[in-house]
Structures are given as structure tokens and as C-alpha cells.
Amino acid sequence: MKLAVILDPLSTLKIYKDSSYAIMLEAQKRGHEVYVLQQENLYLRNEQVMAAAQALSIAPESKPWFKLAPHVDIVLNQFDIVLMRKDPPLDLQYLYTTHLLEMAERSGARVFNRPQALRELNEKLAILNFPEFIAPTLVTSQPRLIRAFLEEHQDVILKPLGGMGGSGIFRVQRDEQNFNVIVESLTQLGTCAIMAQRYIPEIAQGDKRILMVAGQPVPHALARIPQGGDPRGNLAAGGKGVVQALSTRDREIAARLGPYLQQTGVFLAGLDVIGDYLTEINVTSPTCLQEISQATECNVAATVLLALEAEIG
């Protein structure tokens, strides 16, 4: 199999935990050709979407851990699989990339996750398709509505719709003296919509990341537990990761979302669940593969590669 991976520069990856690294290493172990490129290496010429890509060789014990061949220009549909693993933000360049990838799809390229899904499934707003699984939620840019929501629920979480890694998330209680400042900042003075959710106390037991591969859940989740009084469990925000088996409720959520993810073209997703509640559906570059694999007998990267191999028969 000839695999192209669109991602951030290799020198920025933390290979002890990076999920894209784990997928590429597993692909190499299985004898596949791995090529890498950044967004800026995509272009369209003569109605064909091309990539200035580099063949990758991984040597985990070496410094640096990667060796790259010179750039070669390849029509994107000449790869068996194209993996879009660029981290957010979903800025204009990311948007343009999804359009190019969608054009490549029309000429036969197999892109995972599908460009349309990457563009249209906001990782915060997507949960609204499953009201039976979410805590009370408000989406608005209006401070008066956020104030009323806080008065109703007394303890809420406020977060931007485009953040990642726990950035920009605030826990706000009824007596918060900085309420106006927080809301003005998050909503950009009432011009940008944010999400407010009732605070879920079960965050103390962890914000669980459930990985979905080709519509099926990995049997273990990574519970990211807040530390030091910080309400966020995200590992990037200092949370502690603990691997645990999926609960009955986790499996119920996964079973409900699996067909939806497949229908919308999401091959690899990360569901975030706190207690009994679905809080996010991560589709851009879901992480936590390595943490789960290192603590269990489940090689998640191998699961991903098996599913990709099945996609091309």
C-alpha cells in the first residue's frame, strides 16, 4: 500500500505520544510505503490535484528519528490512501486544503477522514445531533443568554467552538466576579458564538477519549483526569491519563454514533465522554492511540492499519 500522510512538520511531533507517528510507524512495519507532506505541498495543475511529497523512513532510536527522500510530484489519486492528520486550527488554509482534497476524491483519491466531514463537522457542535447523550447546552454569542444559562444551572463550562487541547475553556459559577470579562473575551464582545454546557461533576473521574475506527470503538478509553484544581482533563492542559475499559454507557454512545460516523465519512474519530455525557466528537486528528496501546494489549495503530487495508481490499 502506498500511503500519504498530510500533517504538521515532523520535527514538531512528540513521538512518545503522537498518534500520527504511531500510525506511520505501524504502516512501515507492515511493509507499506509512507509519504509525508504539509498542506502547502498540495496544488492543482491541469485539473489534477498533486502533492510534492517525500518518502519517509522511520528509525525510532535514531536522532532525528526520520529520514526523508527528496520531494517528488505525485498525483494524489496515485496513492492508495491519503490520511489528513493536520492539527487545528481550522483556518482558511485548512479550509482550502479540504477543497483540494475533495477535488482529488472526485478523481479517485481515497481520503480519510473525508474532506467534507472535516470541513462541516465542527467538533463541538456535532454533539447536537445526539441530544439524548448531551448535558444541557447553549450556543450563542449573546452575554444575556449566557448569564441566564448560568443562573439556571449555577455551574457551567464555557468554551470556544474552534479550540483544541482545552484551550480557552472556563468553568464559571454563579458568583464568578470575572463573568463579564470572560464572556466578552470568548465571544469577542458579543460577535462570536461559543458553547455553554452545564458543568458535569464526573469530570473528577476523567474526560474519557473513546477512539472509533471504521465505526467501531476501541475497547479501552483514556480517561484524562484534571490535576491541581484545573477543571480541564486534557493532557495538553496537564491532565493525567488513565486507561480503562469502556463502560456500558460508553458502548451505548459508540454504538449509536458508529453508523453516523461511517455515513459522514469519518474513518477515525475521538469521542469525548464525561460521566454519561458526550461532550465532543473529534474528527480532525484524534489522539491518544499510543497511551491506550502502551497500557493494554490493544495495538490501536495496527487496528487503524487493518481497517485501512480493508478499505482498499
Side-chain angles (χ1 to χ4, degrees):
M1 183 167 71
K2 196 171 183 178
L3 173 69
V5 186
I6 305 169
L7 74 174
D8 293 298
L10 299 183
S11 60
T12 67
L13 304 188
K14 299 176 181 177
I15 65 172
Y16 66 91
K17 68 173 185 177
D18 190 87
S19 294
S20 297
Y21 168 81
I23 292 170
M24 295 187 297
L25 178 60
E26 182 64 28
Q28 178 177 282
K29 289 179 179 178
R30 300 172 78 85
H32 301 309
E33 296 178 68
V34 181
Y35 288 76
V36 295
L37 62 144
Q38 280 79 59
Q39 291 183 115
E40 57 267 28
N41 297 126
L42 285 174
Y43 63 97
L44 184 144
R45 185 176 63 192
N46 298 329
E47 300 181 1
Q48 291 186 316
V49 179
M50 310 279 294
Q54 294 177 279
L56 170 69
S57 176
I58 298 175
E61 305 303 323
S62 300
K63 292 186 178 180
W65 55 268
F66 58 88
K67 183 177 180 180
L68 293 172
H71 285 91
V72 290
D73 294 300
I74 306 176
V75 180
L76 217 59
N77 63 17
Q78 296 304 304
F79 293 103
D80 296 295
I81 295 289
V82 178
L83 286 183
M84 178 53 169
R85 291 285 303 175
K86 172 71 178 69
D87 282 342
L90 272 66
D91 53 15
L92 282 176
Q93 182 58 47
Y94 194 102
L95 176 66
Y96 301 150
T97 297
T98 66
H99 285 299
L100 286 174
L101 291 175
E102 197 165 18
M103 294 176 191
E105 277 189 321
R106 290 198 287 269
S107 65
R110 298 184 182 93
V111 184
F112 302 93
N113 291 326
R114 290 198 65 190
Q116 183 178 0
L118 292 172
R119 187 170 60 246
E120 296 183 2
L121 285 184
N122 178 274
E123 299 185 331
K124 308 295 190 296
L125 295 176
I127 66 170
L128 301 177
N129 293 302
F130 306 95
E132 68 271 30
F133 293 131
I134 68 175
T137 299
L138 170 73
V139 178
T140 183
S141 60
Q142 299 184 44
R144 65 178 181 84
L145 297 179
I146 300 170
R147 169 64 78 179
F149 188 81
L150 175 59
E151 291 292 335
E152 179 183 359
H153 297 289
Q154 304 292 303
D155 196 350
V156 303
I157 292 292
L158 305 179
K159 53 187 174 182
L161 298 179
M164 64 168 289
S167 62
I169 293 179
F170 289 86
R171 178 185 179 184
V172 178
Q173 295 174 297
R174 190 172 183 272
D175 59 354
E176 175 59 64
Q177 295 182 354
N178 292 314
F179 173 84
N180 290 338
V181 174
I182 293 171
V183 172
E184 287 172 3
S185 176
L186 287 177
T187 66
Q188 299 177 34
L189 298 177
T191 63
C192 182
I194 66 169
M195 177 173 283
Q197 292 177 309
R198 187 185 69 195
Y199 177 72
I200 305 170
E202 289 84 356
I203 184 64
Q205 283 76 56
D207 178 357
K208 291 176 284 186
R209 167 58 58 85
I210 301 171
L211 291 170
M212 301 288 292
V213 181
Q216 298 298 317
V218 172
H220 291 82
L222 182 70
R224 298 159 296 175
I225 302 172
Q227 302 291 302
D230 193 319
R232 301 170 298 172
N234 309 74
L235 299 183
K240 176 184 178 183
V242 177
V243 175
Q244 54 189 228
L246 299 188
S247 69
T248 300
R249 177 67 165 181
D250 296 338
R251 292 187 179 278
E252 180 186 358
I253 294 172
R256 174 73 173 85
L257 266 68
Y260 167 80
L261 294 172
Q262 287 194 294
Q263 181 181 1
T264 53
V266 178
F267 169 82
L268 178 60
L271 311 181
D272 288 349
V273 174
I274 301 175
D276 288 337
Y277 298 102
L278 176 68
T279 60
E280 291 187 19
I281 302 174
N282 294 272
V283 300
T284 48
S285 56
T287 61
C288 300
L289 275 72
Q290 290 212 56
E291 290 87 347
I292 294 173
S293 297
Q294 291 163 5
T296 68
E297 295 181 355
C298 178
N299 183 338
V300 184
T303 300
V304 171
L305 264 297
L306 280 168
L308 289 174
E309 289 163 356
E311 289 286 344
I312 64 169

